[in-house]
Amino acid sequence: MIIKNDQFDDELVQNFFPEAYCFKPMKIANFPNTRGITLEDLATSDDYYATEKIDGSWYALNITENYKYLFGRTISRKNGLPVEKGANVPHILEAFKDFPKNTIIIGEIYTGDRTQTSKDTVSIMGSLPKRAIKLQEERGKLHFYIHDMILLNGKDLTEEKAIDRYLALSKLYKTYHLDKYDFIELAQIIETNNALEAAAEIIARGGEGVVLKKKDYPYEYNKRPAYSSVKIKKADTVDVVCMGFEDPTKEYNGKETSDYLMNIKTGEKIIRGKHSELNLLEDAMNNVEDFIEITKPFYYGWKTAIKIGLYKDGELVSIGTVSSGLTDFYREDFAKNPQKYIGQVIECECMELKDGSLRHPIFKRFREDKNAEECKYEEIFK
């Protein structure tokens, strides 16, 4: 045993798992919504860093002098110790064959498909090794999404800052070239000024959300300290009414070069790389000052957001817009057939209900089974 605490009897641990260290994991908190602190405060704070949250199963990889163990959070009824599942994923253990001894890495085992859930992972990890390997041959290898490290070369890192533990893990990931394995993933820090927006984008594409970690916080076994780490994921499902649509943004302000251009003098629009009978592309290249980069929706004349509302005292009132989750099919059809959708009920997911509006709403579907008049303000914002 390398580091000590009173969670499990060390003699019992050594009888079943020589050289191993077993512990109960630190837990991620839901937003506590107390003390006058808002989720927006944390999501925009420099005191936190954000990584994508994966809907898999928590595991700790314990690399000892002579063994490798993969312990889950579930406690075995047979011996009262964390269940060990390394034999289910031998490819993951093999990937760490040259890693420093006496090291413990924490992460999520998942299917590799971020739109799937922990149930898909458990269907494999909950099997006996022979069946688990067979299932992976059929479905694909399970992935290990690593995000923390509490022991390195026998040094206890639990009192170190969360950001320092992450940076040390990131360095090892590069040093030992773990990126050559598509099934070993390092959680990436999301560069954003607002983690709420990042979570909304991730959820819109079928992901779970994000985790905010306080940069200076230590690792505390078997605790769920408020504000140390916070989950931001879909919180509410709300039915609202389509009131109309918003026009697209004209000028493109993205980091990459836009393929869509417009002549500011004539209004002619072109796509880079496509032949034009009017030789507009050649003209654009010779007279750059006459052209601006525009967005794809503006080029095609699509609509990019739905105006949404609820019935309040019998009157339909606006509560904002929703754009996340919309496909190009809908953006185009909204422009061509607006009356087909206006007055219809929409199911949205959102981060938070606040001040008569939906925080970072995400479009899910139109509901033909519900009348617009049933979408009442008083029932949503109680």
Side-chain angles (χ1 to χ4, degrees), residues 239-244 306-309 316 338-347 365-372 375:
D239 292 331
V240 296
V241 182
C242 173
M243 299 179 66
I306 307 173
K307 298 176 182 178
I308 56 176
L316 186 59
Q339 294 306 316
K340 175 181 173 182
Y341 300 98
I342 293 175
Q344 296 296 309
V345 175
I346 303 165
E347 181 182 296
R365 64 179 177 128
F366 281 96
R367 292 194 57 179
E368 297 181 358
D369 61 330
K370 188 170 184 177
N371 296 318
C375 302

Side-chain angles (χ1 to χ4, degrees), residues 320-339:
T321 64
V322 57
S323 58
S324 292
L326 294 178
T327 63
D328 286 350
F329 167 81
Y330 276 123
R331 295 185 181 103
E332 181 178 5
D333 209 38
F334 291 159
K336 291 180 177 179
N337 306 294
Q339 294 306 316

Side-chain angles (χ1 to χ4, degrees), residues 53-120:
K53 185 181 187 303
I54 300 297
D55 192 0
S57 297
W58 183 97
Y59 279 90
L61 176 62
N62 190 172
I63 304 168
T64 75
E65 290 289 344
N66 298 290
Y67 304 94
K68 293 184 184 69
Y69 301 105
L70 191 66
F71 292 111
R73 65 169 72 245
T74 304
I75 303 301
S76 170
R77 294 180 180 178
K78 293 181 180 180
N79 56 28
L81 298 174
V83 173
E84 200 284 319
K85 287 287 184 177
N88 285 31
V89 283
H91 61 288
I92 291 177
L93 300 190
E94 176 64 18
F96 287 87
K97 63 180 183 298
D98 297 323
F99 231 63
K101 307 295 185 183
N102 301 322
T103 295
I104 297 176
I105 295 170
I106 296 170
E108 293 277 326
I109 299 290
Y110 83 111
T111 64
D113 182 347
R114 298 190 183 189
T115 66
Q116 293 187 335
T117 69
S118 58
K119 291 182 180 179
D120 299 291

Side-chain angles (χ1 to χ4, degrees), residues 35-36 58 81 86 166 169 175 204 256 267 284 287 317 330 374:
R35 307 181 194 172
W58 183 97
L81 298 174
Y166 172 84
L169 176 61
T175 300
E256 305 296 329
N287 302 282
V317 298
Y330 276 123
E374 298 177 64

